[in-house]
């Protein structure tokens, strides 16, 4: 609480938790300056710590890093601005610490909860200047958590209440001026998250039925931004005002606006959402309104079902990959084929796979293709395990090169179970093709997650066959149908030798009759469809 007694009790602004007196005295209610410690949160697995952004102004931020599987994991970056009517709040306040901590865990983001100087001690535009500096500090990768684990090509800017107002304004600034990121770490704002935004204007909207709130809100703006020439039609408080920067210039490809039916700020939030849609902005606009709830309820009471829903919507908005300059990863097998074919076509003909272009044309959870042809596979996709004897299953494995075309380097891993001595009779072990069921962009036959099922498969079959899962060339470096050619070549080689496997006379094969005999007689012996 900050208060100086001068004897004048006339109140200019009264927000309940904050009062500004005519003589300049300031009152902040108990609890507004509370802090929550940074550190590891065992419930969410998120680690947080505080950093100083600008020692001159004292502006700081709290960083949040969720659990990451390995040192090479990169997550989207969320730069978040707290609420508090520009006069209260901080990243370390228990309400905002708890909210951003849970959001970092559920949305899987490296979060930067940025602080800013509070009015009226520091009149606006100080908060906007601090927020702009914080965003540029974050996208520069100045902190090790951001440089090591942040995907600066997927930056989200968001906030609640006054913080949502700030998020909108820094997104406009990023679109007009561009981010001041370092040349080695090109950054891009992918989305803007505006939660219960605080906007106003000189003219009251017909839907703004709470006249008293509208008047108080406007008095507050005049007190905290006395230097504004436009007053309540300053574009920072009224983004739809005449003379405001075009909303079409806002950075990002997606916008999420959330409002609450019992919040007197909701009409302005809805109007803002419609104005962005009508501006010709190139991105996608999403809007959600909570029924029966008031301003910022999901921060104050995060355990309610509606609060959980708002957090879920925010998480799904972050996770969505329907950006307009990207290709959405499909789900069905047929669309997977078209997806891979398109990615291959984009890469074929690129002069250098190491192109420096940062425009992403294709993105999924483990693979990224850039416009210049550069390919990025995430850590773990090329992991291998050695061949050899597996004591757990009794299976021996080894790697061989399929020599039908040595130039392709197509190889296979052979698996040989132990000799069958169960009394069921001796036999030759057949050699199934064992082509791995996987997307054609990622897994290898030696990847750890693929090896255990393959090792166990021979032992589970009654005849205990040897198996040879085959490697094929990956797209987009080797465009389709290269993988199909390699798979077909492997299927024609039924006699890959890995040592003597015949341990006795072959068991007589049953005679095929009727439909099964006709199917065998008509089965193709050449590549079954035309080459592309």
């Amino acid at each position: 609480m900050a208060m100086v007694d001068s004897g004048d009790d006339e109140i200019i602004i009264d927000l309940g938790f904050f009062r500004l007196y005519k003589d300049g005295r300031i009152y902040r209610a108990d609890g507004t300056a509370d802090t929550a410690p940074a550190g590891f949160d065992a419930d969410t697995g998120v680690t947080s710590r505080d950093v100083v952004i600008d020692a001159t102004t004292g502006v700081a931020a709290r960083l949040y890093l969720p659990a990451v599987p390995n040192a090479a994991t990169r997550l989207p970056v969320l730069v978040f601005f707290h609420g508090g009517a520009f006069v209260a709040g901080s990243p370390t306040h228990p309400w905002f610490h708890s909210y951003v901590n849970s959001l970092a865990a559920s949305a899987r983001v490296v979060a930067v909860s940025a602080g800013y100087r509070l009015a009226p001690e520091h009149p606006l535009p100080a908060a906007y200047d601090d927020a702009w500096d914080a965003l540029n500090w974050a996208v520069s990768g100045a902190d090790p958590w951001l440089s090591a684990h942040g995907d600066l090509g997927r930056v989200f800017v968001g906030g609640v209440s006054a913080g949502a107002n700030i998020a909108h304004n820094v997104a406009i600034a990023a679109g007009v001026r561009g981010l001041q990121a370092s040349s080695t770490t090109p950054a891009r704002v992918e989305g803007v998250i505006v939660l219960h935004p605080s906007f106003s204007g000189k003219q009251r909207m017909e839907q703004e039925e709470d006249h008293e709130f509208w008047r108080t809100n406007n008095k507050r703006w005049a007190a905290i931004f006395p230097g504004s020439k436009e007053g309540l039609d300053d574009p920072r408080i009224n983004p739809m005002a005449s003379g405001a920067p075009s909303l079409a210039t806002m950075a990002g490809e997606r916008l999420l606006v959330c409002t609450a039916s019992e919040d007197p700020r909701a009409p302005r939030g809805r109007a803002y959402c419609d104005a962005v849609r009508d501006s010709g902005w190139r991105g996608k606009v999403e809007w959600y309104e909570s029924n029966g709830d008031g301003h910022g309820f999901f921060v104050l009471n995060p355990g309610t079902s509606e609060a959980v829903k708002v957090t879920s919507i925010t998480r799904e908005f972050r996770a969505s990959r329907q950006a307009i300059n990207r290709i959405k990863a499909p789900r069905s097998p047929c669309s997977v084929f078209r997806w891979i074919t398109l990615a291959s076509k984009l890469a074929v003909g690129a002069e250098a796979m190491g192109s420096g272009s940062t425009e992403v044309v294709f993105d999924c959870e483990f693979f990224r293709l850039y416009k210049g042809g550069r390919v990025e596979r995430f850590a773990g996709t090329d992991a291998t395990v050695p061949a050899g004897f597996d004591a757990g299953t009794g299976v021996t494995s080894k790697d061989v090169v399929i020599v039908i075309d040595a130039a392709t380097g197509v190889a296979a891993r052979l698996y040989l179970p132990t000799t069958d001595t169960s009394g069921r009779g001796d036999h030759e072990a057949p050699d199934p093709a064992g082509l791995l069921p996987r997307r054609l962009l990622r897994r290898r036959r030696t990847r750890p997650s693929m090896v255990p099922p393959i090792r166990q498969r021979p032992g589970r079959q009654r005849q205990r066959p040897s198996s040879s899962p085959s490697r094929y060339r990956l797209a987009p470096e080797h465009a389709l149908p290269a993988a199909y050619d390699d798979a077909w070549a492997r299927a024609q080689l039924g006699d890959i030798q890995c040592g003597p496997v015949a341990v006795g006379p072959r068991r007589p094969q049953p005679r095929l009759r009727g439909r099964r005999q006709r199917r065998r007689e008509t089965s193709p012996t050449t590549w079954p469809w035309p080459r592309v």
Side-chain angles (χ1 to χ4, degrees):
M1 175 169 55
M3 192 166 180
V4 178
D5 186 6
S6 67
D8 192 338
D9 292 334
E10 183 179 350
I11 299 174
I12 298 176
I13 303 173
D14 189 353
L15 303 178
F17 63 89
F18 172 87
R19 292 193 202 109
L20 176 63
Y21 292 84
K22 185 176 181 179
D23 60 8
R25 280 183 299 147
I26 296 170
Y27 164 80
R28 290 184 175 92
D30 293 336
T32 57
D34 288 353
T35 62
F40 176 71
D41 186 336
D43 293 335
T44 61
V46 173
T47 304
S48 59
R49 62 184 177 86
D50 297 324
V51 297
V52 175
I53 295 177
D54 189 337
T56 303
T57 61
V59 174
R62 177 163 287 186
L63 305 186
Y64 296 82
L65 180 66
V68 292
N70 56 64
T73 299
R74 290 190 176 273
L75 303 173
V77 175
L78 168 65
V79 181
F80 184 85
F81 302 102
H82 66 82
F86 295 98
V87 299
S90 74
T92 62
H93 191 278
W95 288 345
F96 299 112
H97 168 75
S98 177
Y99 178 72
V100 179
N101 180 78
S102 64
L103 193 59
S106 61
R108 300 288 298 159
V109 294
V110 181
V112 180
S113 184
Y116 48 86
R117 289 171 290 174
L118 299 178
E121 295 93 335
H122 303 280
L124 296 176
Y128 295 119
D129 295 339
D130 297 342
W132 178 244
D133 291 341
L135 175 60
N136 284 294
W137 175 88
V139 300
S140 70
D143 187 87
W145 281 6
L146 294 168
S147 60
H149 298 294
D151 183 353
L152 299 178
R154 298 195 68 199
V155 176
F156 291 80
V157 179
V160 58
S161 189
N165 174 298
I166 292 174
H168 158 76
N169 280 286
V170 296
I172 289 289
V176 173
R177 295 189 250 173
L179 294 173
Q180 300 170 5
S182 66
S183 58
T184 57
T185 55
R188 179 180 65 92
V189 174
E190 179 173 318
V192 182
I193 302 171
V194 177
L195 307 175
H196 297 193
S198 179
F199 295 129
S200 191
K202 280 183 180 179
Q203 298 298 320
R204 184 178 62 85
M205 298 176 60
E206 183 179 351
Q207 299 85 349
E208 292 179 304
E209 299 176 352
D210 191 334
H211 297 195
E212 183 59 32
F213 172 81
W214 179 75
R215 284 192 292 266
T216 301
N217 199 32
N218 291 350
K219 287 173 63 178
R220 175 181 61 90
W221 177 258
I224 64 178
F225 200 171
S228 174
K229 296 179 181 179
E230 298 88 352
L232 288 167
D233 277 345
D234 187 297
R236 284 163 284 199
I237 190 66
N238 185 4
M240 291 86 76
S242 175
S246 171
L247 295 174
T249 63
M250 183 168 57
E253 298 164 356
R254 289 179 290 131
L255 170 68
L256 172 64
V257 180
C258 289
T259 56
S261 63
E262 303 306 307
D263 182 4
R265 302 163 185 80
R268 292 275 174 177
R270 300 185 202 109
Y272 166 74
C273 187
D274 292 338
V276 175
R277 285 195 182 105
D278 296 339
S279 70
W281 186 58
R282 69 183 184 280
K284 178 182 178 182
V285 181
E286 301 177 29
W287 171 67
Y288 175 76
E289 180 160 296
S290 304
N291 291 319
D293 291 294
H295 185 69
F297 71 93
F298 55 91
V299 175
L300 306 179
N301 300 295
T304 65
S305 59
E306 188 63 24
V308 172
K309 187 172 184 179
V310 171
T311 301
S312 176
I313 290 171
T314 306
R315 179 185 69 246
E316 292 169 2
F317 175 81
R318 195 289 304 165
S320 174
R321 295 181 182 273
Q322 297 181 16
I324 59 172
N325 68 337
R326 295 183 181 208
I327 304 166
K328 182 181 178 182
R331 299 291 180 185
S332 69
C334 292
S335 56
V336 166
F337 175 82
R338 293 191 294 268
W339 181 61
I340 296 171
T341 304
L342 178 56
S344 301
K345 289 180 179 178
L346 291 169
V348 170
E351 296 180 359
M353 296 304 288
S355 169
S357 174
T358 60
E359 181 179 347
V360 179
V361 294
F362 175 80
D363 193 353
C364 63
E365 66 270 20
F366 56 84
F367 173 87
R368 187 174 293 161
L369 175 64
Y370 294 86
K371 184 176 183 180
R374 182 161 56 95
V375 171
E376 179 182 272
R377 291 182 174 87
F378 295 166
T381 57
D382 290 329
T384 63
V385 295
F389 177 71
D390 186 337
T393 61
V395 174
T396 302
S397 59
K398 75 170 185 176
D399 297 324
V400 298
V401 175
I402 299 177
V403 295
I404 190 170
D405 186 356
T408 65
V410 177
R413 176 163 288 188
L414 306 186
Y415 293 82
L416 182 67
T418 54
T419 303
D420 186 358
T421 58
S422 61
R424 291 191 296 267
D426 296 332
H427 62 276
E428 285 185 6
D431 185 24
L435 301 176
L436 297 181
R438 66 197 188 274
R439 289 182 179 175
L440 308 183
L441 294 165
R442 178 174 60 172
R443 295 180 178 172
R444 300 171 58 181
R445 72 196 193 289
T446 55
R447 190 168 185 261
S449 63
M450 298 303 298
V451 171
I454 295 170
R455 285 181 172 172
Q456 294 167 11
R457 181 174 61 187
R460 290 201 303 265
Q461 298 186 26
R462 186 170 181 178
Q463 290 189 330
R464 302 178 67 79
S466 62
S467 64
S468 53
S470 303
R471 177 182 178 182
Y472 45 75
R473 290 169 290 173
L474 300 180
E477 295 92 335
H478 304 282
L480 296 178
Y484 298 120
D485 293 341
D486 297 341
W488 183 247
R490 168 62 192 91
Q492 301 307 299
L493 297 178
D495 58 349
I496 297 179
Q497 297 299 316
C498 58
V501 296
V503 293
R506 185 171 184 177
R507 180 175 295 176
Q509 299 295 313
R511 182 178 178 182
L512 299 178
R513 295 183 179 180
R515 184 179 301 173
R516 287 192 295 169
Q517 176 66 27
R518 290 194 297 273
R519 185 183 302 126
R520 169 168 288 188
E521 291 172 353
T522 58
S523 61
T525 57
T526 59
W527 184 240
W529 50 79
R531 295 178 183 273
V532 178

